[in-house]
Amino acid sequence: MRVIALENLMISILAGSSEWQLREARAMAAYISPRPGATQHPLTIHAAEHMVDLVQRAVHFRSPSVTYPET
């Protein structure tokens, strides 16, 4: 239950984020992806994919009529 609550909290925060912040959140997934030549662990790959998925889910909750200032 705690993980679901944290995911929903992150989605709500990301939904109010600027485009720059959403780009940065997507870019952070690359930092936990396996390095070239390293053994790819399934949980690491899944974590990176899940981060990008959270951002995509948050985009669905953004209001198209509201402009978010770039910070």
Side-chain angles (χ1 to χ4, degrees), residues 3-63:
V3 173
I4 294 169
L6 287 173
E7 284 182 6
N8 288 336
L9 178 62
M10 284 306 306
I11 289 169
S12 68
I13 290 170
L14 288 169
S17 299
S18 68
E19 289 297 324
W20 176 83
Q21 290 167 322
L22 293 175
R23 283 192 305 270
E24 290 297 309
R26 287 183 192 101
M28 285 302 296
Y31 287 107
I32 65 167
S33 296
R35 293 178 182 86
T39 302
Q40 295 191 357
H41 192 278
L43 291 177
T44 303
I45 295 167
H46 181 69
E49 292 170 351
H50 195 65
M51 285 178 67
V52 173
D53 181 59
L54 283 174
V55 174
Q56 289 307 110
R57 288 167 52 196
V59 168
H60 293 290
F61 290 100
R62 295 181 66 144
S63 174

